[in-house]
Structures are given as C-alpha cells and as structure tokens.
Amino acid sequence: MDTAVRTIARPQFGKPLAGEGGTFEAVMKGELGAPDYLLILHQEHRDPAPWKEQMAWAKKLDADGHRDFRLPTRRELHALIANAKEKFNNNWYWSCEPDGSDYAWYQSFNNGNQNYNHQDNNNRACAVRRWHRHECTCRTPC
C-alpha cells in the first residue's frame, strides 16, 4: 500500500493557485456538513447584465480545465469584500442566491451592503469555484 502523502505549498491570499483557475481569496467553512474549502476567484469580471445572464456566463467559464465556476454565495461575497476589495469596481455584484422567484441578492463593493434586486436589473458579476482536497459533496443552493 502506498502511504505517501501529497504535500502542497501553503497558498497565499490574492495569488494564483496553480492549476486551479484563479486566485486564492478566502478560506470558507463548509455548511450543512460540507467540507471546508478554499475560494478561488476567476480573473474575469463581467459588465452589468441581468441575473440569469450572469448565472449562465459563470457556468460557461473554463480556466485551467475547470468548468465548475459560478456566481458567489452571499457569504462568499462578504469574504471577497473583506479579502479582495481592490480587485472589484465600487459597484453591485450579483450573488447566486435568489430571493423568491423574481429577485436575487447582490453585494455592494462600495459600502459593503447586501440587498436584493429584481433579477431583470443589471449588475456586475464575478465567478468563483471551490477547491478542497476531496470530492465536493456540497448541499448549498448554488
């Protein structure tokens, strides 16, 4: 039996995580029994568009062979404003979380507020993915 342990260098906040499709921006605690993970931010941000268009844009992204990008959760947006505010315009960014059937949550990178907006309104978007050592068993809505 092979007992070798794979060792990886400790990632640095705000720096690319080799082969993972973006920069390492936060350590996130898993929810509902899901494992903790590193939050990886894709380098591209998208100009304002309606929520459903931004959701589709994020799902189409491919970086370093990874195609599991999505809009961030509200909690992840909060971590991004705390750890990587300089990478964002002082605008509103959509989250992946709907609020009912017609609204969705978004984050201001100007003042830090979160609120909900009609899904047909235009807001900017960024894309993230989760990195963890084991296969994802996440049960979050995004």
Side-chain angles (χ1 to χ4, degrees):
M1 173 190 257
D2 183 3
T3 59
V5 175
R6 180 178 168 227
T7 304
I8 62 169
R10 181 176 172 222
Q12 295 180 350
F13 284 102
K15 301 291 184 189
L17 190 56
E20 296 302 326
T23 56
F24 162 55
E25 301 299 346
V27 176
M28 303 296 297
K29 182 177 183 199
E31 293 183 292
L32 303 172
D36 299 346
Y37 59 95
L38 304 184
L39 187 65
I40 308 299
L41 176 66
H42 191 276
Q43 69 179 2
E44 183 180 345
H45 294 208
R46 192 156 186 254
D47 287 335
W51 184 71
K52 287 180 183 175
E53 286 181 31
Q54 301 290 39
M55 293 279 284
W57 162 79
K59 288 180 181 181
K60 291 179 185 175
L61 290 173
D62 183 342
D64 292 333
H66 296 283
R67 298 190 49 86
D68 57 347
F69 288 94
R70 58 176 173 69
L71 297 185
T73 65
R74 292 170 59 195
R75 207 165 58 93
E76 290 167 343
L77 282 167
H78 184 74
L80 288 170
I81 198 168
N83 295 347
K85 187 175 190 288
E86 71 282 356
K87 295 182 179 181
F88 292 82
N89 292 335
N90 284 334
N91 288 307
W92 292 93
Y93 283 75
W94 283 119
S95 81
C96 65
E97 296 182 40
D99 186 58
S101 61
D102 295 327
Y103 292 85
W105 287 91
Y106 63 161
Q107 169 84 48
S108 168
F109 277 80
N110 181 35
N111 61 21
N113 290 340
Q114 289 188 348
N115 207 338
Y116 55 90
N117 198 349
H118 197 276
Q119 293 176 7
D120 290 338
N121 289 335
N122 295 328
N123 290 302
R124 293 184 59 84
C126 66
V128 298
R129 62 181 299 271
R130 295 175 180 190
W131 183 90
H132 29 143
R133 287 185 269 161
H134 306 289
E135 188 66 29
C136 181
T137 57
C138 306
R139 291 180 230 146
T140 57
C142 300

